[in-house]
Amino acid sequence: MTTARLGRILWSVVRVVIVIGICFTILQPLFLKFSVSFMDEKDLYDASVKYVPKHFTLNNYALSLSGLSYWTTLLRTAALSATVSFVQLVACLLTAYGFARFRFPFRKILFACVIFTMVVPPQVIMLPLFMKYRFFDIFGIIKAVTGNTVNLIDTYWPFFIQAATTMGIRNGLYIYMLRQFFKGMPKELEEAAYVDGCGRLRTFVQIMVPSCVPMMVTVFLFGFVWQWTDSFYTSLYLSRTQVLSTALSSLAVNVYSQYEGFGGTMNFISPGFVSMINNTGTVLTVIPLIILYVFCQKSFVEGIERSGIVG
Amino acid sequence: MQYFQKRGGKWHLTMAGKDGAAGILFILPFLIGFFFVFMPLIVESLRYSFSDMQVSPEGYSLTLTSSHGLGNYIRAVAIDPDFNLQLLTNLGQMVTRIPLVLIFSFFAANLLNQNFRGRTAARSILFLPVIISSGVLVALESSDLLVNTMSATSEMSGNELASFLNVSGFLTEYTSLPVSVITGLSSAVNGLYDIVIVSGVQILIFLAGLQSISPSLYEASSMEGATQWESFWKITLPMISPLILVNSVYTVIDLFTNENNEMMTEIKYTIFNEIDYGYGSAMAWIYFICIAVILVIVGSLISRYVFYYDER
């Protein structure tokens, strides 16, 4: 009896050590960024400064806020991410339900195609993708009517088209997750609805959708986060309009030119300065996500847990 | 013809037919996306890989490369001195990383599934990588000089610790493991952060699976006198095995198409900095075929051991 008790105590100690260790591994780089963002450039070259800045300053934030045009960019990014992830959530929900509940010819092959869309490296289709939206046309109809193709680059349409046709970022994964969820739901629910004379679409909307809200929150959050941090597609579709991810990748250069505008002199962009500004920008980009995450955490975790992604 | 039925001289949809039609209507977004958005892009990209592209102010023109259009592929495989080596190193690195990610995420999920104080906090922290290991943040991180130097110094102290403990030396001396395995292991330990950071989604999926195992199974087995160790091998592992398949597929996809994968950056560099679309596409296609082969091998290896509770 006592050995069992001893064993349990020992295990819980080991567990605490492991959990804290893993959490530290994840949090340490984040924390480093956070502390660097408050440092003065002098602190970077000072070997005695490790995490706590000696010359505490908010200067980096001031520079980054103006360099990113933070508040307008933030609003734009939030609106874009929210719409895109909502649209792709609806499209993926429909597709997943279709795959989970109905039998139709070539179902297995088509589902393999869903996986296929995930496996193709985006670089492979990058140039054709750009060409497609630069000279956009639907079966030559638009050209036949107006005499010209449409240029959709620098509009938000490419995002919406990709999202509505479930070709957005990692949509294959969402379809997979949602399909597994729907497969795990008891069939009796729908059968009861059919018996009561409810149509297929109405059954889906009124019975199935409300029961998978936690799962939907999860998919929405994934979509939101990955859209928010994506610079691959945004830099492809948007060249003049800035969202946070694209603004972030050119932040240091922007700040540098502004710095000169303020009458400051800098003969070259020092790597320390770049790193400081980039870290500040990263913190500014991540903070809204973390706030969102903390709010959705409960239903996020529950959603995944209840999904029963088995089989 | 289970979908149609002849009734009164006319063809009607049967019940199964109506279901099928409804199913196709439901997956319509995907069908449109796949056949009218995705496939044309794939075909186009294949065409690039078989061609030389000349870009001019008016647009671009494609000419078929030498040896019936295979010129770019031949150049990649037989002429380019770097490509083969790079591809093989990359594939080797990734393939060794797959089991590590799987084992770590399985272990972490098991840990998070137990009851202890601060579990919710630990869970939210372990899922944080889903946020911080995506897109532009990763790209910025790898280009960040300062943080890299800082982590290099901390790595150095880590190495000092390692040389103090000298685990790998110990292993070579006292065990008969081949040296390559030991160096692989020790580099894996040094690269723990890289493993942790890509395991977020996998941990979530495993955790979901663990939660869905019915507690009555464990109860019954402990009544029969099974130890925890036995019930882990006899219940947890078989029940979770479908998810091991899912996770390995996802891990392969995620590791290989990650934006800071060396092969991916190389392809991107060839396409955009050297402006060699044809050659870049050919490289990407060779790479893609390698991924597909690995995916099929991993999938078929693991699905042999997968256990389905309700085999239909």
Side-chain angles (χ1 to χ4, degrees):
Chain A
M1 200 62 195
T2 42
T3 46
R5 201 179 144 76
L6 195 72
R8 224 176 300 141
I9 291 174
L10 209 67
W11 168 235
S12 62
V13 170
V14 172
R15 187 170 54 199
V16 164
V17 171
I18 295 174
V19 167
I20 289 180
I22 296 173
C23 290
F24 176 76
T25 323
I26 294 171
L27 288 180
Q28 190 262 347
L30 263 187
F31 186 69
L32 182 64
K33 282 186 205 315
F34 193 65
S35 70
V36 165
S37 71
F38 287 110
M39 285 180 190
D40 195 82
E41 206 178 337
K42 271 180 262 170
D43 289 356
L44 297 178
Y45 307 122
D46 188 342
S48 66
V49 174
K50 197 77 184 172
Y51 288 109
V52 186
K54 256 186 199 165
H55 307 270
F56 182 87
T57 170
L58 288 174
N59 197 17
N60 296 328
Y61 280 95
L63 281 173
S64 301
L65 281 177
S66 71
L68 288 170
S69 347
Y70 188 64
W71 298 111
T72 39
T73 319
L74 181 75
L75 271 182
R76 192 185 295 136
T77 315
L80 178 70
S81 302
T83 351
V84 166
S85 52
F86 181 74
V87 171
Q88 76 190 11
L89 172 65
V90 173
C92 289
L93 262 180
L94 287 170
T95 308
Y97 186 64
F99 274 117
R101 272 297 192 262
F102 300 103
R103 309 201 150 269
F104 45 85
F106 307 117
R107 189 171 65 142
K108 287 215 165 116
I109 298 174
L110 284 173
F111 196 70
C113 291
V114 173
I115 304 293
F116 178 64
T117 58
M118 276 202 293
V119 186
V120 172
Q123 270 84 351
V124 178
I125 53 169
M126 192 166 186
L127 188 70
L129 202 60
F130 180 81
M131 288 300 178
K132 181 183 175 62
Y133 289 112
R134 175 67 187 78
F135 305 104
F136 186 74
D137 209 341
I138 306 168
F139 306 125
I141 297 172
I142 298 177
K143 192 165 187 181
V145 175
T146 60
N148 233 330
T149 52
V150 190
N151 180 6
L152 289 182
I153 296 300
D154 265 324
T155 66
Y156 296 121
W157 283 108
F159 294 103
F160 299 145
I161 293 171
Q162 295 286 111
T165 54
T166 70
M167 289 297 131
I169 306 163
R170 297 197 197 174
N171 280 7
L173 177 69
Y174 308 146
I175 295 179
Y176 194 99
M177 283 162 65
L178 289 166
R179 181 189 84 132
Q180 295 306 92
F181 177 83
F182 284 132
K183 277 185 114 172
M185 298 264 295
K187 272 202 175 110
E188 286 77 14
L189 270 177
E190 289 148 286
E191 275 160 14
Y194 291 151
V195 168
D196 287 344
C198 192
R200 286 187 181 82
L201 187 63
R202 195 160 157 223
T203 310
F204 171 67
V205 173
Q206 291 198 330
I207 309 240
M208 297 309 268
V209 170
S211 59
C212 77
V213 167
M215 195 64 197
M216 281 159 64
V217 172
T218 311
V219 169
F220 182 83
L221 208 65
F222 272 164
F224 191 88
V225 167
W226 280 331
Q227 177 61 48
W228 186 281
T229 56
D230 166 69
S231 63
F232 184 82
Y233 291 104
T234 36
S235 61
L236 193 65
Y237 300 148
L238 303 174
S239 59
R240 282 193 301 269
T241 332
Q242 295 251 301
V243 291
L244 268 181
S245 55
T246 49
L248 189 59
S249 41
S250 58
L251 175 63
V253 183
N254 277 349
V255 168
Y256 169 67
S257 55
Q258 273 180 357
Y259 200 77
E260 276 194 329
F262 286 130
T265 48
M266 222 190 258
N267 295 327
F268 69 106
I269 310 185
S270 73
F273 179 75
V274 171
S275 156
M276 221 166 53
I277 292 297
N278 274 344
N279 280 316
T280 318
T282 308
V283 170
L284 283 173
T285 311
V286 170
I287 278 181
L289 289 180
I290 290 183
I291 292 172
L292 186 78
Y293 176 70
V294 167
F295 274 110
C296 300
Q297 205 262 120
K298 202 165 174 338
S299 71
F300 179 60
V301 176
E302 273 174 13
I304 276 287
E305 282 170 1
R306 278 200 222 139
S307 70
I309 317 180
V310 178
Chain B
M1 289 312 263
Q2 46 169 335
Y3 296 108
F4 299 100
Q5 197 181 36
K6 204 167 189 178
R7 214 183 319 125
K10 272 185 180 173
W11 286 99
H12 286 278
L13 278 173
T14 57
M15 196 58 196
K18 279 182 188 164
D19 254 5
I24 287 176
L25 280 182
F26 268 112
I27 67 163
L28 207 57
F30 172 73
L31 286 181
I32 295 173
F34 189 74
F35 289 108
F36 298 116
V37 179
F38 188 71
M39 277 325 266
L41 299 178
I42 292 289
V43 171
E44 191 78 343
S45 148
L46 259 181
R47 235 176 43 145
Y48 288 160
S49 74
F50 288 121
S51 326
D52 269 328
M53 184 190 267
Q54 271 85 37
V55 183
S56 58
E58 295 90 55
Y60 62 93
S61 63
L62 296 172
T63 47
L64 210 61
T65 50
S66 53
S67 34
H68 307 291
L70 288 176
N72 283 325
Y73 289 91
I74 291 171
R75 183 178 150 201
V77 177
I79 300 175
D80 193 325
D82 300 328
F83 180 76
N84 281 334
L85 187 67
Q86 224 171 8
L87 184 69
L88 285 179
T89 353
N90 186 275
L91 291 182
Q93 269 174 3
M94 292 301 142
V95 167
T96 49
R97 208 178 264 191
I98 295 166
L100 292 174
V101 170
L102 282 177
I103 291 168
F104 172 76
S105 52
F106 186 54
F107 176 73
N110 265 305
L111 209 62
L112 289 179
N113 195 33
Q114 295 175 352
N115 251 322
F116 58 90
R117 214 181 286 168
R119 181 170 73 158
T120 345
R123 278 188 189 181
S124 6
I125 290 173
L126 255 89
F127 304 149
L128 261 187
V130 177
I131 293 181
I132 50 179
S133 72
S134 55
V136 69
L137 303 179
V138 174
L140 268 191
E141 179 127 3
S142 54
S143 70
D144 192 333
L145 203 82
L146 179 79
V147 171
N148 281 349
T149 1
M150 278 196 173
S151 62
T153 49
S154 69
E155 216 162 74
M156 237 151 66
S157 56
N159 282 343
E160 275 160 25
L161 188 71
S163 63
F164 170 65
L165 293 171
N166 200 3
V167 178
S168 55
F170 178 78
L171 283 176
T172 19
E173 200 138 324
Y174 294 104
T175 58
S176 54
L177 290 171
V179 179
S180 58
V181 173
I182 293 168
T183 42
L185 270 178
S186 58
S187 71
V189 172
N190 289 341
L192 184 66
Y193 178 73
D194 297 327
I195 304 280
V196 172
I197 211 81
V198 293
S199 312
V201 176
Q202 285 89 331
I203 294 175
L204 275 173
I205 293 177
F206 271 139
L207 195 57
L210 288 175
Q211 304 260 327
S212 68
I213 301 174
S214 148
S216 58
L217 284 176
Y218 291 107
E219 264 169 41
S221 73
S222 76
M223 295 287 250
E224 304 285 344
T227 58
Q228 282 200 341
W229 176 251
E230 281 164 341
S231 62
F232 173 79
W233 289 102
K234 296 275 160 65
I235 298 175
T236 314
L237 210 59
M239 290 299 279
I240 209 85
S241 60
L243 292 188
I244 297 180
L245 179 65
V246 173
N247 264 346
S248 45
V249 170
Y250 180 77
T251 311
V252 172
I253 293 172
D254 192 46
L255 284 181
F256 280 93
T257 60
N258 204 316
E259 264 181 63
N260 59 343
N261 184 312
E262 273 168 46
M263 234 16 246
M264 298 295 270
T265 36
E266 178 64 25
I267 292 168
K268 204 173 170 186
Y269 184 80
T270 313
I271 293 183
F272 291 96
N273 296 44
E274 296 176 2
I275 318 186
D276 200 342
Y277 297 103
Y279 185 48
S281 304
M283 279 163 82
W285 274 99
I286 294 175
Y287 186 55
F288 168 68
I289 289 165
C290 293
I291 303 175
V293 168
I294 289 176
L295 206 59
V296 168
I297 292 173
V298 167
S300 58
L301 266 184
I302 292 177
S303 57
R304 260 200 243 162
Y305 300 100
V306 169
F307 166 83
Y308 287 104
Y309 185 65
D310 44 353
E311 193 86 54
R312 267 164 295 194

